[in-house]
Amino acid sequence: MSEKFNKEARMARRDKIAADATAIRTLLKIDLKSRFGYGARIGAGNVGKWIFNFVMTAGMYAVIVFLIYLFTKMFVLRPGLRDGFIVIVSMASVILQFFICTVTLIKALYYSGDNEILLRFPVNGTQIFIAKSIFVFISNFVITMAILLPFYISYGVILQKVGALNRPPEIFYPVSILTTFLSSFLPFFLANIVAIPLMKVMNLVKNNYGIVLFVTIAAVIGVFVAYMQILQSLVNFYVEKDMALFSPDMVARIDRFAANAFPFNLYANMLLGRHPWINFIYVMLLTVGVGIIAVVVIKKWYFSTILDGIENQRASFTKRTSDKPLPPFISYMKREFNGILRSFNYSFQYLVMAAAAPVMVYYCNALAGTVGSGSVGNNILPGISLMVITIFVTIIVSFSSTAISREGGCFYHTKIIPLPYWQQVLAKFLLYSGVATLSILVCCIAVAGAKFVSFTDAVMIFFITEFSNIALTSLCMWFDTTSPTFNFMGDGELVGANKNVALALALGLVFAVLYGLMTMIGGFLPTFAGIAIKHGARSIMGLLLIVSGIFAILGVVLLFVRLDKRYNKLYQ
Amino acid sequence: MVKIKKNKKVEINEEINNADIPGRNEVFEDTVSEAMEFLNTPSISDNLIADKRLADDSTVVHDAPPMLKIEHLKKRYPNSEVYSVKDLSFELRPGEVFGFLGKNGAGKSTTIKCLTGILPFTEGKIEICGYDIAKEPMKAKMNMGYVPDNHSVYERLTGREYVNYVADLYRVPKADREERLNMFLDLFKLRFAVDRQIKSYSHGMKQKICIIAALIYEPKLWVLDEPMMGLDPQSTAEILSYMREHVRKGNTVFFSSHNLDMVAKVCNRVAIINDGILHCVIDLSDPANRETLEKRFFEISSTEEERRAWNV
């Protein structure tokens, strides 16, 4: 009797495990299909597209690998960084993976709108959690293999060429793969631990739009400044060739740091063959230990955090506002602004870039100035400033190319209200170009204040970029009043860039490069196309002032002429 | 001061009243006593259940200029060979509730989208309160309120912000908007959520805030596209109640629906559309027409074979 009972229990357990495995496999397939197109059939209809995508991806990856090889060669051969290089690369990889994993986990596990849909199917919360966790791990693993492994392989190839590889190649390369594989677990488990308190904090502050915006701006500026500082150091190193950054003393300091950089040195020691088995055991113990903590944290707080999020969403932003009447035009503008401010995606695209642009322009100018003025003199600085500011203006105003698309399911509303279409479009135009104008003004003050350009040049740059701002905003909005892309899923938010954004960005970048190059060339050439350039860059900027002014007028005309006819044709 | 006509009963939903909503007691204190006055009169929902006619034919002004005049309306979508609406003409009088019936894809929503200005139309003429929607769209839109079928609304705004935004667009003075908003918040029992972001609202609450926004400027013509879809009986009763209230002030209500019984009870007249063709406009003040409405609807919108198969 008891044996029969045990057998039945065993069978039931086996059936449950099989059912769990099937459910997890199916859920994982859904995620992989949506992220990587896994399982998509290649037929006669899409074979051309598939080949094109494959060639483009392979080509881009080949370029990245080549750059990684050059980068590795630059540090490993010239200053003679060896162990330190591997430790720093492993450290950078683990830290980067940690950030990527945290963001992917939060998106997949906590912010994913499909949790609610999936729970309607015969799957339970644990199965969804496991499937999504595996998906995040696979995503992370693919990224790690694609980025970290080329560094390890390049290191091996370079040192093998000069006969300095301290392990046999037939061991070094397989161990590279093993080390890369093992190094993707630690950041994954750490991200699982960190994601929960981070989500709790996000649930607490998500309706404080001002705070979220401020923190985002500060974070973007902080990361950008840090990145530019590193890039500036590398450029100095490359341009001046004085080895100041990687002097023997500096190399010794990096090596000392690498020797103590726990736990990153464990991976390097494993790879480089310094007590490989002991370091392997340390890595395994550390990974398993952090893994156990992650499982405990998840078991205890995962579901309560998700529930918090759902409840928090229900009890969302509350504010008692005044009933004071506003003119229709102003009220429309206010509604549009609140809609942007209260969406993380939109405020990031619209406000964060505009607020961060002056800092970015300052650093880009400093960096480009270091490279450019060293070879062709300071005369190119107005051209560089003009190009960099125009690039940032392009990025900021590209947001306006979803002006109509962002209405989503509420597009009907713009058709029924007694506010003429031209006024609705003008309200949006002023809102988008106005923010860009303020950003341009601060950018010009920054480049003039830092003496990158003279006051007169800064004024000219302001007007050229302002005219470009008007022209680009008009053009972007014209794209969207011609063929908007409405999203009816979820809350209707346009998270990804649509074709209009890509087109606007491409056009803006072409203009930025053209304007910038012309001004730079004018800065140091005595003649251009056979015409004598009397006042250097300033005469070219004078010409660009007229050209950009004409583009601004044409842009506004393009946007507003026959607007009613175009708008009337639009429907969802 | 809340203004609710005394011949209407405001249903007090026991469930909502008993629910523990913070701050709700204070909010309702002023209005409960007034609402209680109407509890002794038959309610809309009672009448709906008791199969009584709710429409008041005395409110219809027959000799006044039409609130909505559609003449030979034709609509063909781009890249389509067929007309979705074919030569449709009718007029709506002040003081009437007009129902618009048709099966899915019959052309109801297309007609409504044309008359609200959402869709351009191929041929014909639409006048709202004497203003041509194509030639004088602003004046026409100033006189019309529209409630869509999909409850799409700016969800990042709070309910109050959305209603005030619409009131701004229609230039409603502060005193009027405050008075009307207070009345509607009590009528639709939405006061507890009005300062919350709309994205936290339920389906029914979104529909209610759309209705409040459409009524905050007291439009002469109130157009609703399948307004009762997905609403609970209480909310349906509230909306029907206010439809009657709205026409009593000399305005007009035009709404599409699939609910034949409700249309028969609430509407003064009803139009049946099928395959884009307006088949008939039926006067429901005649009891015989009310009784045969369902039969006529099925005769128009289905084949004899289908009717036999469905046993209708």
Side-chain angles (χ1 to χ4, degrees), chain A residues 61-168:
Chain A
Y61 185 61
V63 171
I64 290 171
V65 170
F66 180 66
L67 289 175
I68 288 173
Y69 177 81
L70 289 182
F71 186 83
T72 309
K73 197 172 171 183
M74 191 165 92
F75 287 97
V76 171
L77 287 187
R78 268 175 60 190
L81 267 179
R82 298 287 153 89
D83 294 11
F85 180 78
I86 290 294
V87 172
I88 285 168
V89 163
S90 305
M91 183 172 81
S93 164
V94 170
I95 292 170
L96 189 70
Q97 283 180 69
F98 168 68
F99 281 115
I100 293 174
C101 258
T102 309
V103 172
T104 326
L105 264 174
I106 286 175
K107 273 187 185 172
L109 292 177
Y110 300 94
Y111 271 148
S112 180
D114 62 358
N115 281 338
E116 218 175 303
I117 298 165
L118 291 173
L119 279 169
R120 292 175 201 165
F121 296 108
V123 290
N124 60 42
T126 311
Q127 289 165 347
I128 295 172
F129 171 80
I130 294 172
K132 283 183 177 292
S133 295
I134 295 173
F135 165 73
V136 173
F137 178 77
I138 291 174
S139 305
N140 180 51
F141 179 64
V142 169
I143 294 168
T144 314
M145 288 299 265
I147 303 295
L148 183 61
L149 195 59
F151 274 107
Y152 288 163
I153 302 287
S154 300
Y155 178 88
V157 170
I158 291 161
L159 288 191
Q160 200 183 335
K161 267 188 189 168
V162 295
L165 190 62
N166 55 0
R167 292 191 91 175

Side-chain angles (χ1 to χ4, degrees), chain B residues 28-265:
Chain B
F28 274 100
E29 217 163 66
D30 298 338
T31 57
V32 162
S33 58
E34 286 180 57
M36 289 298 284
E37 285 179 32
F38 310 109
L39 283 174
N40 295 327
T41 58
S43 72
I44 289 287
S45 43
D46 288 342
N47 282 339
L48 280 172
I49 295 160
D51 206 23
K52 284 181 187 166
R53 179 158 160 76
L54 303 172
D56 179 0
D57 298 311
S58 68
T59 59
V60 184
V61 186
H62 292 273
D63 51 355
M67 288 286 203
L68 171 68
K69 187 176 177 185
I70 299 179
E71 285 179 337
H72 307 294
L73 177 70
K74 287 185 184 176
K75 169 66 190 173
R76 192 175 66 187
Y77 285 97
N79 308 320
S80 173
E81 294 291 312
V82 293
Y83 280 89
S84 299
V85 177
K86 300 161 191 166
D87 202 25
L88 187 133
S89 301
F90 62 82
E91 290 182 7
L92 266 59
R93 302 162 199 150
E96 77 172 328
V97 178
F98 192 96
F100 200 35
L101 295 175
K103 62 182 181 184
N104 291 330
K108 298 189 301 295
S109 289
T110 302
T111 306
I112 287 177
K113 282 175 180 162
C114 288
L115 76 90
T116 49
I118 295 171
L119 282 178
F121 41 91
T122 321
E123 281 176 49
K125 190 177 176 186
I126 298 172
E127 279 182 7
I128 290 145
C129 300
Y131 299 112
D132 189 324
I133 187 80
K135 290 178 185 162
E136 295 176 287
M138 293 308 118
K139 286 178 180 167
K141 288 171 187 178
M142 279 298 276
N143 287 292
M144 181 176 49
Y146 171 61
V147 179
D149 54 348
N150 58 5
H151 322 311
S152 284
V153 58
Y154 292 104
E155 296 196 359
R156 287 185 215 104
L157 303 183
T158 65
R160 187 185 298 277
E161 282 175 334
Y162 179 62
V163 174
N164 273 322
Y165 157 67
V166 175
D168 286 339
L169 292 174
Y170 290 85
R171 299 171 179 84
V172 182
K174 190 181 180 192
D176 287 352
R177 74 172 67 176
E178 279 176 348
E179 186 187 312
R180 287 173 197 163
L181 181 60
N182 279 326
M183 181 190 76
F184 289 129
L185 290 179
D186 293 333
L187 184 66
F188 294 117
K189 299 176 183 69
L190 208 59
R191 190 177 287 277
F192 71 97
V194 71
D195 293 315
R196 255 169 43 191
Q197 215 169 17
I198 298 173
K199 72 175 179 186
S200 68
Y201 285 17
S202 69
H203 176 85
M205 286 158 78
K206 280 181 193 167
Q207 178 75 330
K208 286 177 182 178
I209 204 74
C210 281
I211 289 170
I212 294 174
L215 291 173
I216 196 76
Y217 50 96
E218 289 220 325
K220 287 195 168 71
L221 173 65
W222 184 22
V223 181
L224 304 96
D225 196 356
E226 298 180 23
M228 315 308 174
M229 213 161 59
L231 287 186
D232 57 57
Q234 174 71 16
S235 305
T236 304
E238 285 159 1
I239 293 166
L240 292 177
S241 158
Y242 198 76
M243 279 184 183
R244 297 307 319 166
E245 185 60 41
H246 196 63
V247 295
R248 195 165 288 114
K249 292 174 189 166
N251 302 310
T252 302
V253 174
F254 177 64
F255 77 102
S256 68
S257 179
H258 291 294
N259 189 332
L260 300 176
D261 286 342
M262 189 190 70
V263 164
K265 282 172 203 160

Side-chain angles (χ1 to χ4, degrees), chain A residues 155-303:
Chain A
Y155 178 88
V157 170
I158 291 161
L159 288 191
Q160 200 183 335
K161 267 188 189 168
V162 295
L165 190 62
N166 55 0
R167 292 191 91 175
E170 61 274 16
I171 293 176
F172 180 84
Y173 296 115
V175 173
S176 303
I177 297 169
L178 179 72
T179 310
T180 311
F181 176 69
L182 287 178
S183 76
S184 50
F185 283 93
L186 187 65
F188 172 73
F189 290 141
L190 282 172
N192 267 294
I193 297 169
V194 168
I196 286 175
L198 202 62
M199 270 310 297
K200 294 232 182 236
V201 173
M202 282 167 86
N203 282 338
L204 278 178
V205 301
K206 76 173 182 180
N207 289 326
N208 296 315
Y209 302 107
I211 295 172
V212 172
L213 189 64
F214 180 78
V215 170
T216 315
I217 291 171
V220 168
I221 291 175
V223 169
F224 186 80
V225 168
Y227 171 74
M228 290 307 279
Q229 293 280 15
I230 294 168
L231 208 60
Q232 182 83 51
S233 307
L234 293 177
V235 167
N236 284 341
F237 168 64
Y238 182 77
V239 170
E240 294 168 16
K241 301 187 191 322
D242 62 359
M243 314 287 273
L245 183 65
F246 294 101
S247 60
D249 179 45
M250 178 62 86
V251 171
R253 275 165 62 189
I254 292 173
D255 278 339
R256 271 201 304 279
F257 165 77
N260 298 307
F262 178 85
F264 314 107
N265 54 356
L266 301 179
Y267 299 106
N269 289 340
M270 235 175 83
L271 179 65
L272 299 173
R274 307 196 196 296
H275 308 294
W277 288 107
I278 292 172
N279 280 293
F280 173 73
I281 291 166
Y282 281 153
V283 165
M284 290 304 289
L285 282 175
L286 181 71
T287 308
V288 171
V290 177
I292 289 168
I293 296 170
V295 170
V296 171
V297 168
I298 288 160
K299 273 203 156 185
K300 197 161 171 58
W301 287 294
Y302 172 67
F303 288 108

